[in-house]
PDB file of all heavy atoms in Angstrom:
ATOM      1  N   LEU C 423      -1.050  17.016 -32.823  1.00 96.00           N
ATOM      2  CA  LEU C 423      -1.912  18.096 -32.334  1.00 96.00           C
ATOM      3  C   LEU C 423      -3.027  17.589 -31.447  1.00 96.00           C
ATOM      4  O   LEU C 423      -3.484  18.266 -30.512  1.00 96.00           O
ATOM      5  CB  LEU C 423      -2.532  18.842 -33.571  1.00 96.00           C
ATOM      6  CG  LEU C 423      -1.706  19.859 -34.309  1.00 96.00           C
ATOM      7  CD1 LEU C 423      -2.542  20.378 -35.484  1.00 96.00           C
ATOM      8  CD2 LEU C 423      -1.190  20.968 -33.483  1.00 96.00           C
ATOM      9  N   TYR C 424      -3.475  16.402 -31.817  1.00 96.00           N
ATOM     10  CA  TYR C 424      -4.699  15.888 -31.091  1.00 96.00           C
ATOM     11  C   TYR C 424      -4.327  15.015 -29.923  1.00 96.00           C
ATOM     12  O   TYR C 424      -5.209  14.537 -29.182  1.00 96.00           O
ATOM     13  CB  TYR C 424      -5.511  15.108 -32.116  1.00 96.00           C
ATOM     14  CG  TYR C 424      -6.176  16.012 -33.115  1.00 96.00           C
ATOM     15  CD1 TYR C 424      -5.544  16.347 -34.299  1.00 96.00           C
ATOM     16  CD2 TYR C 424      -7.358  16.690 -32.839  1.00 96.00           C
ATOM     17  CE1 TYR C 424      -6.069  17.246 -35.154  1.00 96.00           C
ATOM     18  CE2 TYR C 424      -7.933  17.584 -33.711  1.00 96.00           C
ATOM     19  CZ  TYR C 424      -7.258  17.873 -34.881  1.00 96.00           C
ATOM     20  OH  TYR C 424      -7.792  18.807 -35.759  1.00 96.00           O
ATOM     21  N   LEU C 425      -3.028  14.887 -29.585  1.00 95.00           N
ATOM     22  CA  LEU C 425      -2.660  14.146 -28.413  1.00 95.00           C
ATOM     23  C   LEU C 425      -3.110  14.806 -27.121  1.00 95.00           C
ATOM     24  O   LEU C 425      -3.265  14.209 -26.091  1.00 95.00           O
ATOM     25  CB  LEU C 425      -1.159  13.921 -28.339  1.00 95.00           C
ATOM     26  CG  LEU C 425      -0.526  12.982 -29.326  1.00 95.00           C
ATOM     27  CD1 LEU C 425       0.981  12.912 -29.211  1.00 95.00           C
ATOM     28  CD2 LEU C 425      -1.081  11.541 -29.056  1.00 95.00           C
ATOM     29  N   ILE C 426      -3.292  16.127 -27.228  1.00 95.00           N
ATOM     30  CA  ILE C 426      -3.674  16.920 -26.026  1.00 95.00           C
ATOM     31  C   ILE C 426      -5.172  16.775 -25.676  1.00 95.00           C
ATOM     32  O   ILE C 426      -5.559  17.266 -24.623  1.00 95.00           O
ATOM     33  CB  ILE C 426      -3.239  18.396 -26.263  1.00 95.00           C
ATOM     34  CG1 ILE C 426      -2.970  19.100 -24.912  1.00 95.00           C
ATOM     35  CG2 ILE C 426      -4.274  19.183 -26.997  1.00 95.00           C
ATOM     36  CD1 ILE C 426      -2.212  20.396 -25.033  1.00 95.00           C
ATOM     37  N   VAL C 427      -5.937  16.127 -26.519  1.00 95.00           N
ATOM     38  CA  VAL C 427      -7.421  16.103 -26.285  1.00 95.00           C
ATOM     39  C   VAL C 427      -7.962  14.697 -26.152  1.00 95.00           C
ATOM     40  O   VAL C 427      -8.921  14.320 -26.774  1.00 95.00           O
ATOM     41  CB  VAL C 427      -8.189  16.825 -27.347  1.00 95.00           C
ATOM     42  CG1 VAL C 427      -8.031  18.308 -27.220  1.00 95.00           C
ATOM     43  CG2 VAL C 427      -7.744  16.313 -28.793  1.00 95.00           C
ATOM     44  N   PRO C 428      -7.391  13.888 -25.204  1.00 94.00           N
ATOM     45  CA  PRO C 428      -7.920  12.525 -25.029  1.00 94.00           C
ATOM     46  C   PRO C 428      -9.414  12.552 -24.702  1.00 94.00           C
ATOM     47  O   PRO C 428     -10.139  11.610 -24.954  1.00 94.00           O
ATOM     48  CB  PRO C 428      -7.086  11.932 -23.911  1.00 94.00           C
ATOM     49  CG  PRO C 428      -6.460  13.086 -23.206  1.00 94.00           C
ATOM     50  CD  PRO C 428      -6.302  14.147 -24.247  1.00 94.00           C
ATOM     51  N   SER C 429      -9.916  13.659 -24.030  1.00 94.00           N
ATOM     52  CA  SER C 429     -11.261  13.598 -23.635  1.00 94.00           C
ATOM     53  C   SER C 429     -12.215  14.073 -24.738  1.00 94.00           C
ATOM     54  O   SER C 429     -13.400  13.891 -24.584  1.00 94.00           O
ATOM     55  CB  SER C 429     -11.449  14.576 -22.421  1.00 94.00           C
ATOM     56  OG  SER C 429     -11.083  15.878 -22.762  1.00 94.00           O
ATOM     57  N   LYS C 430     -11.639  14.592 -25.842  1.00 95.00           N
ATOM     58  CA  LYS C 430     -12.563  15.112 -26.884  1.00 95.00           C
ATOM     59  C   LYS C 430     -12.605  14.240 -28.138  1.00 95.00           C
ATOM     60  O   LYS C 430     -13.568  14.210 -28.863  1.00 95.00           O
ATOM     61  CB  LYS C 430     -12.133  16.504 -27.328  1.00 95.00           C
ATOM     62  CG  LYS C 430     -12.359  17.561 -26.215  1.00 95.00           C
ATOM     63  CD  LYS C 430     -12.071  18.943 -26.762  1.00 95.00           C
ATOM     64  CE  LYS C 430     -12.211  19.973 -25.643  1.00 95.00           C
ATOM     65  NZ  LYS C 430     -11.862  21.342 -26.127  1.00 95.00           N
ATOM     66  N   LEU C 431     -11.500  13.529 -28.391  1.00 95.00           N
ATOM     67  CA  LEU C 431     -11.408  12.685 -29.629  1.00 95.00           C
ATOM     68  C   LEU C 431     -11.847  11.270 -29.267  1.00 95.00           C
ATOM     69  O   LEU C 431     -11.410  10.689 -28.274  1.00 95.00           O
ATOM     70  CB  LEU C 431      -9.985  12.733 -30.120  1.00 95.00           C
ATOM     71  CG  LEU C 431      -9.720  12.025 -31.477  1.00 95.00           C
ATOM     72  CD1 LEU C 431     -10.596  12.563 -32.577  1.00 95.00           C
ATOM     73  CD2 LEU C 431      -8.265  12.199 -31.875  1.00 95.00           C
ATOM     74  N   HIS C 432     -12.696  10.693 -30.099  1.00 95.00           N
ATOM     75  CA  HIS C 432     -13.191   9.368 -29.839  1.00 95.00           C
ATOM     76  C   HIS C 432     -12.013   8.352 -29.693  1.00 95.00           C
ATOM     77  O   HIS C 432     -11.031   8.434 -30.454  1.00 95.00           O
ATOM     78  CB  HIS C 432     -14.086   8.903 -31.009  1.00 95.00           C
ATOM     79  CG  HIS C 432     -14.850   7.624 -30.676  1.00 95.00           C
ATOM     80  ND1 HIS C 432     -14.244   6.390 -30.813  1.00 95.00           N
ATOM     81  CD2 HIS C 432     -16.084   7.411 -30.297  1.00 95.00           C
ATOM     82  CE1 HIS C 432     -15.114   5.472 -30.479  1.00 95.00           C
ATOM     83  NE2 HIS C 432     -16.280   6.076 -30.201  1.00 95.00           N
ATOM     84  N   PRO C 433     -12.150   7.469 -28.704  1.00 95.00           N
ATOM     85  CA  PRO C 433     -11.015   6.543 -28.426  1.00 95.00           C
ATOM     86  C   PRO C 433     -10.552   5.687 -29.571  1.00 95.00           C
ATOM     87  O   PRO C 433      -9.449   5.239 -29.586  1.00 95.00           O
ATOM     88  CB  PRO C 433     -11.634   5.628 -27.285  1.00 95.00           C
ATOM     89  CG  PRO C 433     -12.712   6.374 -26.723  1.00 95.00           C
ATOM     90  CD  PRO C 433     -13.254   7.302 -27.782  1.00 95.00           C
ATOM     91  N   LEU C 434     -11.419   5.431 -30.562  1.00 95.00           N
ATOM     92  CA  LEU C 434     -10.967   4.645 -31.717  1.00 95.00           C
ATOM     93  C   LEU C 434      -9.950   5.455 -32.519  1.00 95.00           C
ATOM     94  O   LEU C 434      -9.149   4.852 -33.209  1.00 95.00           O
ATOM     95  CB  LEU C 434     -12.162   4.270 -32.591  1.00 95.00           C
ATOM     96  CG  LEU C 434     -12.958   3.044 -32.123  1.00 95.00           C
ATOM     97  CD1 LEU C 434     -14.226   2.904 -32.959  1.00 95.00           C
ATOM     98  CD2 LEU C 434     -12.162   1.816 -32.110  1.00 95.00           C
ATOM     99  N   TRP C 435     -10.036   6.786 -32.493  1.00 95.00           N
ATOM    100  CA  TRP C 435      -9.095   7.557 -33.255  1.00 95.00           C
ATOM    101  C   TRP C 435      -7.962   8.089 -32.354  1.00 95.00           C
ATOM    102  O   TRP C 435      -6.871   8.362 -32.807  1.00 95.00           O
ATOM    103  CB  TRP C 435      -9.770   8.701 -33.971  1.00 95.00           C
ATOM    104  CG  TRP C 435     -10.540   8.230 -35.177  1.00 95.00           C
ATOM    105  CD1 TRP C 435      -9.998   8.144 -36.460  1.00 95.00           C
ATOM    106  CD2 TRP C 435     -11.865   7.780 -35.277  1.00 95.00           C
ATOM    107  NE1 TRP C 435     -10.971   7.631 -37.334  1.00 95.00           N
ATOM    108  CE2 TRP C 435     -12.085   7.425 -36.632  1.00 95.00           C
ATOM    109  CE3 TRP C 435     -12.897   7.609 -34.369  1.00 95.00           C
ATOM    110  CZ2 TRP C 435     -13.297   6.925 -37.107  1.00 95.00           C
ATOM    111  CZ3 TRP C 435     -14.101   7.085 -34.823  1.00 95.00           C
ATOM    112  CH2 TRP C 435     -14.315   6.778 -36.181  1.00 95.00           C
ATOM    113  N   TYR C 436      -8.297   8.274 -31.060  1.00 95.00           N
ATOM    114  CA  TYR C 436      -7.233   8.777 -30.169  1.00 95.00           C
ATOM    115  C   TYR C 436      -6.305   7.639 -29.760  1.00 95.00           C
ATOM    116  O   TYR C 436      -6.709   6.671 -29.137  1.00 95.00           O
ATOM    117  CB  TYR C 436      -7.795   9.386 -28.900  1.00 95.00           C
ATOM    118  CG  TYR C 436      -6.740  10.030 -28.011  1.00 95.00           C
ATOM    119  CD1 TYR C 436      -6.399  11.361 -28.214  1.00 95.00           C
ATOM    120  CD2 TYR C 436      -5.999   9.294 -27.135  1.00 95.00           C
ATOM    121  CE1 TYR C 436      -5.340  11.913 -27.490  1.00 95.00           C
ATOM    122  CE2 TYR C 436      -4.924   9.816 -26.399  1.00 95.00           C
ATOM    123  CZ  TYR C 436      -4.658  11.127 -26.612  1.00 95.00           C
ATOM    124  OH  TYR C 436      -3.635  11.700 -25.829  1.00 95.00           O
ATOM    125  N   THR C 437      -5.083   7.740 -30.150  1.00 93.00           N
ATOM    126  CA  THR C 437      -4.119   6.727 -29.815  1.00 93.00           C
ATOM    127  C   THR C 437      -2.742   7.437 -29.733  1.00 93.00           C
ATOM    128  O   THR C 437      -2.540   8.409 -30.427  1.00 93.00           O
ATOM    129  CB  THR C 437      -4.018   5.544 -30.824  1.00 93.00           C
ATOM    130  OG1 THR C 437      -2.680   5.123 -30.990  1.00 93.00           O
ATOM    131  CG2 THR C 437      -4.583   5.977 -32.181  1.00 93.00           C
ATOM    132  N   PRO C 438      -1.861   6.927 -28.894  1.00 92.00           N
ATOM    133  CA  PRO C 438      -0.510   7.533 -28.844  1.00 92.00           C
ATOM    134  C   PRO C 438       0.183   7.340 -30.178  1.00 92.00           C
ATOM    135  O   PRO C 438       1.243   8.018 -30.433  1.00 92.00           O
ATOM    136  CB  PRO C 438       0.177   6.778 -27.726  1.00 92.00           C
ATOM    137  CG  PRO C 438      -0.651   5.573 -27.488  1.00 92.00           C
ATOM    138  CD  PRO C 438      -2.021   5.925 -27.841  1.00 92.00           C
ATOM    139  N   TYR C 439      -0.328   6.503 -31.063  1.00 94.00           N
ATOM    140  CA  TYR C 439       0.320   6.313 -32.390  1.00 94.00           C
ATOM    141  C   TYR C 439      -0.133   7.393 -33.375  1.00 94.00           C
ATOM    142  O   TYR C 439       0.263   7.316 -34.542  1.00 94.00           O
ATOM    143  CB  TYR C 439      -0.059   4.968 -32.936  1.00 94.00           C
ATOM    144  CG  TYR C 439       0.473   3.759 -32.168  1.00 94.00           C
ATOM    145  CD1 TYR C 439      -0.179   2.547 -32.162  1.00 94.00           C
ATOM    146  CD2 TYR C 439       1.608   3.905 -31.350  1.00 94.00           C
ATOM    147  CE1 TYR C 439       0.265   1.517 -31.421  1.00 94.00           C
ATOM    148  CE2 TYR C 439       2.070   2.815 -30.586  1.00 94.00           C
ATOM    149  CZ  TYR C 439       1.391   1.618 -30.644  1.00 94.00           C
ATOM    150  OH  TYR C 439       1.839   0.524 -29.910  1.00 94.00           O
ATOM    151  N   LEU C 440      -0.972   8.299 -32.934  1.00 94.00           N
ATOM    152  CA  LEU C 440      -1.482   9.281 -33.878  1.00 94.00           C
ATOM    153  C   LEU C 440      -0.384   9.960 -34.761  1.00 94.00           C
ATOM    154  O   LEU C 440      -0.521  10.026 -35.989  1.00 94.00           O
ATOM    155  CB  LEU C 440      -2.251  10.441 -33.133  1.00 94.00           C
ATOM    156  CG  LEU C 440      -3.776  10.347 -33.077  1.00 94.00           C
ATOM    157  CD1 LEU C 440      -4.310  11.471 -32.171  1.00 94.00           C
ATOM    158  CD2 LEU C 440      -4.376  10.509 -34.478  1.00 94.00           C
ATOM    159  N   PRO C 441       0.703  10.398 -34.179  1.00 95.00           N
ATOM    160  CA  PRO C 441       1.738  10.998 -35.030  1.00 95.00           C
ATOM    161  C   PRO C 441       2.332   9.971 -36.020  1.00 95.00           C
ATOM    162  O   PRO C 441       2.491  10.312 -37.192  1.00 95.00           O
ATOM    163  CB  PRO C 441       2.862  11.420 -34.005  1.00 95.00           C
ATOM    164  CG  PRO C 441       2.255  11.362 -32.662  1.00 95.00           C
ATOM    165  CD  PRO C 441       1.044  10.470 -32.747  1.00 95.00           C
ATOM    166  N   VAL C 442       2.544   8.734 -35.584  1.00 95.00           N
ATOM    167  CA  VAL C 442       3.048   7.750 -36.493  1.00 95.00           C
ATOM    168  C   VAL C 442       2.089   7.494 -37.647  1.00 95.00           C
ATOM    169  O   VAL C 442       2.466   7.399 -38.810  1.00 95.00           O
ATOM    170  CB  VAL C 442       3.355   6.469 -35.720  1.00 95.00           C
ATOM    171  CG1 VAL C 442       3.867   5.368 -36.654  1.00 95.00           C
ATOM    172  CG2 VAL C 442       4.400   6.699 -34.618  1.00 95.00           C
ATOM    173  N   MET C 443       0.851   7.416 -37.249  1.00 95.00           N
ATOM    174  CA  MET C 443      -0.168   7.138 -38.268  1.00 95.00           C
ATOM    175  C   MET C 443      -0.314   8.257 -39.301  1.00 95.00           C
ATOM    176  O   MET C 443      -0.454   8.042 -40.468  1.00 95.00           O
ATOM    177  CB  MET C 443      -1.566   6.857 -37.602  1.00 95.00           C
ATOM    178  CG  MET C 443      -1.573   5.508 -36.934  1.00 95.00           C
ATOM    179  SD  MET C 443      -3.144   5.220 -36.221  1.00 95.00           S
ATOM    180  CE  MET C 443      -2.939   3.554 -35.629  1.00 95.00           C
ATOM    181  N   PHE C 444      -0.237   9.491 -38.784  1.00 96.00           N
ATOM    182  CA  PHE C 444      -0.343  10.620 -39.708  1.00 96.00           C
ATOM    183  C   PHE C 444       0.885  10.630 -40.664  1.00 96.00           C
ATOM    184  O   PHE C 444       0.736  10.910 -41.828  1.00 96.00           O
ATOM    185  CB  PHE C 444      -0.404  11.948 -38.931  1.00 96.00           C
ATOM    186  CG  PHE C 444      -1.792  12.424 -38.782  1.00 96.00           C
ATOM    187  CD1 PHE C 444      -2.715  11.650 -38.091  1.00 96.00           C
ATOM    188  CD2 PHE C 444      -2.217  13.657 -39.244  1.00 96.00           C
ATOM    189  CE1 PHE C 444      -4.029  12.093 -37.893  1.00 96.00           C
ATOM    190  CE2 PHE C 444      -3.501  14.083 -39.061  1.00 96.00           C
ATOM    191  CZ  PHE C 444      -4.384  13.335 -38.378  1.00 96.00           C
ATOM    192  N   PHE C 445       2.050  10.264 -40.124  1.00 96.00           N
ATOM    193  CA  PHE C 445       3.234  10.256 -40.988  1.00 96.00           C
ATOM    194  C   PHE C 445       3.141   9.146 -42.009  1.00 96.00           C
ATOM    195  O   PHE C 445       3.365   9.354 -43.239  1.00 96.00           O
ATOM    196  CB  PHE C 445       4.482  10.096 -40.120  1.00 96.00           C
ATOM    197  CG  PHE C 445       5.755   9.959 -40.919  1.00 96.00           C
ATOM    198  CD1 PHE C 445       6.123  10.936 -41.881  1.00 96.00           C
ATOM    199  CD2 PHE C 445       6.568   8.853 -40.771  1.00 96.00           C
ATOM    200  CE1 PHE C 445       7.249  10.819 -42.610  1.00 96.00           C
ATOM    201  CE2 PHE C 445       7.746   8.757 -41.494  1.00 96.00           C
ATOM    202  CZ  PHE C 445       8.065   9.684 -42.432  1.00 96.00           C
ATOM    203  N   MET C 446       2.781   7.943 -41.592  1.00 96.00           N
ATOM    204  CA  MET C 446       2.698   6.789 -42.519  1.00 96.00           C
ATOM    205  C   MET C 446       1.639   7.086 -43.596  1.00 96.00           C
ATOM    206  O   MET C 446       1.868   6.871 -44.751  1.00 96.00           O
ATOM    207  CB  MET C 446       2.324   5.506 -41.779  1.00 96.00           C
ATOM    208  CG  MET C 446       3.406   5.000 -40.884  1.00 96.00           C
ATOM    209  SD  MET C 446       3.000   3.443 -40.147  1.00 96.00           S
ATOM    210  CE  MET C 446       3.433   2.283 -41.453  1.00 96.00           C
ATOM    211  N   SER C 447       0.478   7.617 -43.126  1.00 96.00           N
ATOM    212  CA  SER C 447      -0.534   7.868 -44.131  1.00 96.00           C
ATOM    213  C   SER C 447      -0.120   9.002 -45.081  1.00 96.00           C
ATOM    214  O   SER C 447      -0.582   8.987 -46.254  1.00 96.00           O
ATOM    215  CB  SER C 447      -1.878   8.178 -43.454  1.00 96.00           C
ATOM    216  OG  SER C 447      -1.785   9.234 -42.575  1.00 96.00           O
ATOM    217  N   SER C 448       0.684   9.901 -44.647  1.00 96.00           N
ATOM    218  CA  SER C 448       1.139  11.007 -45.543  1.00 96.00           C
ATOM    219  C   SER C 448       2.007  10.391 -46.681  1.00 96.00           C
ATOM    220  O   SER C 448       1.930  10.862 -47.802  1.00 96.00           O
ATOM    221  CB  SER C 448       1.909  12.048 -44.806  1.00 96.00           C
ATOM    222  OG  SER C 448       3.239  11.686 -44.668  1.00 96.00           O
ATOM    223  N   MET C 449       2.770   9.323 -46.368  1.00 95.00           N
ATOM    224  CA  MET C 449       3.600   8.719 -47.390  1.00 95.00           C
ATOM    225  C   MET C 449       2.781   8.137 -48.512  1.00 95.00           C
ATOM    226  O   MET C 449       2.956   8.390 -49.668  1.00 95.00           O
ATOM    227  CB  MET C 449       4.481   7.631 -46.774  1.00 95.00           C
ATOM    228  CG  MET C 449       5.653   8.232 -45.987  1.00 95.00           C
ATOM    229  SD  MET C 449       6.863   6.970 -45.598  1.00 95.00           S
ATOM    230  CE  MET C 449       6.248   6.345 -44.041  1.00 95.00           C
TER     231      MET C 449
END
Side-chain angles (χ1 to χ4, degrees):
Chain C
L423 282 178
Y424 292 90
L425 286 177
I426 206 166
V427 287
S429 61
K430 292 186 183 178
L431 185 57
H432 190 280
L434 280 173
W435 283 271
Y436 186 91
T437 142
Y439 298 152
L440 261 175
V442 178
M443 286 180 177
F444 265 59
F445 176 56
M446 291 185 83
S447 55
S448 83
M449 285 193 271

